[in-house]
Structure formats: structure tokens, C-alpha cells
Amino acid sequence: MQQNVKGFSKLSKEEKINWITSTYFSNQKEAKDILINYWNSDENLQKLHDEFIENTLTNFYLPYGVSPNFVINGKNYTIPMAIEESSVVAAASKAAKFWGERGGFKTTIINTEKIGQVHFLFQGNFEKLTTFFNKIKPSFFDDTQEITKNMQKRGGGILDIELKNKTNEIENYYQLHATFNTKDSMGANFINTCLEQFAKTLENQARNFEGFSEEEREIQIIMSILSNYVPNCVVRAEVSCPIEQLSEDKTIDANEFAQKFATAVRIAEIEPYRAVTHNKGIMNGIDAVVLATGNDFRAVEAGVHAYASKSGQYSSLSHVKIENGIFTFWLDVPLALGTVGGLTSLHPLVKFSMELLGKPSAEELMQIVAAAGLAQNFAALRSLTTTGIQQGHMKMHLMNILNQHQATKEEKQQVLAFFKDTIISHSLVVDYLEQIRK
Ligand code: MEV
């Protein structure tokens, strides 16, 4: 039984490491060495990372790669990707090259509205509450002037505030449902600060509203928080070409490929078990860029999957049509992203990503991220409907297997050459490695 620790957050980093390694590890020195090995030799850089969160012991690396040759709306991009899964970057790059030679990705911002809510209980009559809300609505804007003035200068701010009656679902439950334009910032802090002020205004104004009874004056605020469901902050990415251009080499019949591909997408549209994996492939591309650009991938994930269920059934985010000999494949995805604020000006690699992408606006970044998601989905479906996924996947995974078995450089070369044109499986690789080691 491990002991509880008191005041852990107040210990120094070294003391924390000592406590952790002596409490949980049989070989304290080895455990300490692992943590220290991942410290940055530049003390200032390490301090910066230490201070991003609490109780930092070390850094957790993810590979940071790039996928070149993305043509998006006629502009060339090399897209940064932070991801651990072998084959994602390779697949994105392959799809980018393929579509780059066929007109590239076309992307459009459909809308950019963010949402936040104040959830509250009101014991009284809805009509009276509506009269009160309409009367005090300008105060929500007035009382947040200080908070919104900079955002307004940048062309953003509060778009609207609505009162919503949710008493059919929960007794006495209402919402202030507010919409925002947060321009180039993701806007979480801005929205939450506005919402907390709305809540105060609501409470205070209700207390002094003459039209209310004593009971009605006591509005109970439950919570004020932005929503990561952003169905009105959506970007579309699309690729299209004449069907006959779908075949790179003559090993695939273009018509058959187009039909099989379209059926695979339709299966994901109607079958949730497949849709989740299909969308996971899209998120391979999306999350990798979201992470590399210092954005909140948990927010994006939560919002995207809610969007994929908006019809009441979880479904594919991407769609396909074949009309007049033209194959069109597209993706609509909600993305609340920022290119200012948050980690964007703090994390050196995030700054690097932003410069690599030409310092994009949030809208441009939405388009880049959506294109990466569509590329990933195209690459996965192309493999799935032709060679099967394991061929490419295991090729990329081969290096992980070799590293796991401490293969030397020479052994790696020999194994790679052997498996160049044959089926790869973990056991076949290990068997072959053992054979050459004999
Ligand atoms: C693996 O990370 C992603 C795929 O499963 C996506 C898909 O099945 O479409 C290959």
C-alpha cells in the first residue's frame, strides 16, 4: 500500500522525483535517469516547459515530422505533424502529392462562430424571465466592455446572447446561450471571462428587478463555460478529379477504385462501427497538426465527434460523389483553433510550426488542418480498398519492431531488404532477426 503524500506540489522538482522514484520504483537510479535523460540541457527552455503545467518531472517527446507538397487553394504548404503513429506522416505526404498533381485541395470556411453558456436555475415564470432578459440584455454587453474592447478592435467580440428555456429537460433550468467571434484566438479564456461576467450581471440585475417576486430574484448560477461543440465553426476541404485520373499506375482500374472507395465512404456514413474508425483516420491527420500548432486537441476531438453525431447517429465526417465522370471527396469538420494566444507564442516548436506555415490566420489554419484530415482519410481508404492497410502499416511499423529488438544498423538494413517485397508480421520479423543473428 503506497502512502499518501502531503504538499507534493510545494516540493522542488528534485524532491518530487525523489519521492516518486523511491515510492514506486524498484530501481530508483534507473527511474531517475529516465526522467533526467529527457530534460533539456538549456535550463531556460526546460524552465519554460516546467511551467506549462504543475508537478512537471520531465518532458514527454513525440516525433515532430513534416508532410510536404500540400497544395491548398493553389498555395504550397509543408505541414508540421506531431504524432507517434508510424505511417501517418507518410500517408499524408503520399496523398498530398497525389492530389497536388490533380489540382490540390480546395478549402472553404463555412462559418466561425464559437459558443458559450451560462447555466442557471430560475424559480418562476418564463414570460417574466423573458421580459427581464430582454430588458437587461444591453447590460451584458456594457458590463463586458473592458473584456471585449481589444477583441472588438480585431473585429471580433460577442455576437449575440439568447435566453433558452430548458425546463422540459430539467426543472427550473435555463441558459444564456452566447455566440462569439474570437478572430485568430481559440478564445477559451475570452469566452469564459465574458460568461462569468454575464453570470454576475444576471444575478445582480435579477436581485434588483422590480417585476420579480422574492423567489424569482434568487437566480442560481450553476456554471458558466464555453462549449467545445462548435457546429457553426466549420471548414470544408475537398478534392476532385476525373475518374480516369484516379489510377496512378495500371494496377488499379480507376472506375472500380472509384466505386469501391465511394462504397467504403457510404459504409462509414451508415455504420457507426465503421464510422468511428473512419473518423479516427481523419483525426490522425487533424490531431497531428493541431498538436504541432499548439492547439487544444481534446477540444477539437470532443467537438468533432459531437458533430459527427449531429443527426442522432454517429456518422462519417467525409463524403463522396461521382457525377458526370468526376470523383469528388470532401470533409466538413468543426475546428476551433487559434494562431495567437495560448501556447502559440510560448512554445518554441509551436512558433516554428507557425512560421513554417507562413504565420496563418486561424481561418487559414482551419483550412490546413482540414486538408490534412482529408488527405489522411483518402490515404487510409485507398489502402483499405486496394492493398489492405497492413502492407503500408507494417512497413512503417517494421522500424519499431527492429528497435524493440535492439537491431543494429546492419541488421536493420538486412531486414529491410528482406521484407521489401514480402508480407510483414511481428513474428516473421523476429524469426528472421533471430535467423540472421545465429
Ligand atoms: C489507423 O490509425 C487509421 C485507420 O484505421 C483509418 C481507417 O480505417 O479508415 C487506417
Side-chain angles (χ1 to χ4, degrees), residues 31-226:
K32 253 186 189 177
D33 285 348
I34 292 175
L35 295 176
I36 291 168
N37 235 334
Y38 282 88
W39 283 357
N40 200 290
S41 55
D42 175 340
E43 274 181 32
N44 287 332
L45 192 61
Q46 188 52 55
K47 193 161 180 294
L48 180 76
H49 283 74
D50 286 353
E51 288 174 359
F52 283 147
I53 61 165
E54 304 80 32
N55 297 342
T56 312
L57 304 181
T58 190
N59 309 301
F60 187 92
Y61 289 174
L62 275 183
Y64 178 102
V66 292
S67 189
N69 301 322
F70 263 88
V71 179
I72 305 172
N73 300 334
K75 191 170 159 186
N76 230 294
Y77 293 91
T78 294
I79 299 187
M81 298 180 111
I83 188 157
E84 88 299 346
E85 185 176 330
S86 13
S87 83
V88 167
V89 176
S93 308
K94 226 172 141 192
K97 183 167 176 284
F98 180 91
W99 285 108
E101 289 158 1
R102 289 160 182 79
F105 294 81
K106 311 266 179 321
T107 57
T108 24
I109 297 290
I110 295 175
N111 37 31
T112 57
E113 185 185 279
K114 313 270 171 68
I115 292 164
Q117 297 169 318
V118 177
H119 306 267
F120 66 95
L121 301 184
F122 168 74
Q123 316 220 3
N125 174 297
F126 179 54
E127 265 146 49
K128 266 173 144 186
L129 183 64
T130 309
T131 309
F132 162 73
F133 170 76
N134 288 333
K135 181 151 185 280
I136 68 152
K137 193 170 169 181
S139 315
F140 293 124
F141 292 87
D142 294 343
D143 295 355
T144 46
Q145 261 310 316
E146 272 306 302
I147 309 164
T148 58
K149 67 178 185 219
N150 282 337
M151 190 62 87
Q152 275 169 345
K153 270 188 215 146
R154 304 197 327 247
I158 304 160
L159 300 175
D160 196 14
I161 308 165
E162 284 172 89
L163 173 68
K164 296 218 167 168
N165 183 347
K166 306 292 278 185
T167 51
N168 278 344
E169 284 101 331
I170 297 176
E171 199 182 2
N172 300 328
Y173 169 39
Y174 299 88
Q175 297 169 348
L176 294 182
H177 182 96
T179 46
F180 302 85
N181 178 346
T182 60
K183 297 307 282 182
D184 285 332
S185 66
M186 187 237 182
N189 284 330
F190 170 74
I191 293 174
N192 289 335
T193 312
C194 287
L195 293 172
E196 287 184 7
Q197 181 55 52
F198 295 165
K200 279 191 198 128
T201 301
L202 184 72
E203 256 183 329
N204 292 340
Q205 296 272 2
R207 229 168 256 142
N208 300 316
F209 187 61
E210 293 200 340
F212 279 164
S213 65
E214 276 302 305
E215 203 177 29
E216 287 165 337
R217 284 194 182 142
E218 289 311 311
I219 280 182
Q220 190 187 11
I221 304 294
I222 303 295
M223 59 191 161
S224 311
I225 188 74
L226 92 166

Side-chain angles (χ1 to χ4, degrees), residues 5 52 74 139 191 229 250 270 309 346-347 360 404 417:
V5 57
F52 283 147
S139 315
I191 293 174
Y229 183 38
K250 299 291 162 231
I270 58 103
S309 323
L346 277 179
H347 196 301
Q404 210 177 322

Side-chain angles (χ1 to χ4, degrees), residues 72 75-80 289 292-293 339 350-361 364-365 368-369:
I72 305 172
K75 191 170 159 186
N76 230 294
Y77 293 91
T78 294
I79 299 187
V289 191
T293 55
T339 53
V350 172
K351 281 199 242 172
F352 180 93
S353 296
M354 290 303 178
E355 193 160 344
L356 177 66
L357 291 172
K359 302 206 170 114
S361 64
E364 193 178 353
L365 184 59
I368 295 166
V369 170

